[in-house]
């Protein structure tokens, strides 16, 4: 029984190591840049400038000029 527990632990541990190694291999340049203090997140990605917004209020609906009347049912 203990042999199965050791084998299961070893398999899960090996799978975790392989996934970590694969992730590091795919993103090695990003990891090294972050460790050197030159992370992409520290650089501004979008340069903006101040914008002035002008709001003009206007009427949305006009007053109705007709008077309501009752109509005869058809």
């Amino acid at each position: 029984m203990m042999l199965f527990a050791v084998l299961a632990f070893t398999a899960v541990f090996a799978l975790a190591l392989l996934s970590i190694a694969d992730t590091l291999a795919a993103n090695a340049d990003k990891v090294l840049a972050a460790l050197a203090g030159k992370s992409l997140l520290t650089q501004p990605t979008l340069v903006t400038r101040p914008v002035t917004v002008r709001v003009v209020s206007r009427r949305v609906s006009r007053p109705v000029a007709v008077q309501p009347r009752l109509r005869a049912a058809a």
Side-chain angles (χ1 to χ4, degrees), residues 3-14:
L3 179 64
F4 291 130
V6 171
L7 286 175
F9 174 77
T10 305
V12 170
F13 189 68

Side-chain angles (χ1 to χ4, degrees), residues 44-62:
T45 57
L46 180 65
V47 178
T48 60
R49 61 179 188 216
V51 176
T52 304
V53 178
R54 185 176 58 150
V55 178
V56 177
S57 63
R58 58 184 173 168
R59 284 187 147 165
V60 176
S61 62
R62 295 179 294 181

Side-chain angles (χ1 to χ4, degrees), residues 25-50:
N27 299 318
D29 53 342
K30 293 179 186 176
V31 172
L32 291 176
L35 290 175
K38 299 176 184 174
S39 175
L40 295 175
L41 297 176
T42 60
Q43 307 295 328
T45 57
L46 180 65
V47 178
T48 60
R49 61 179 188 216

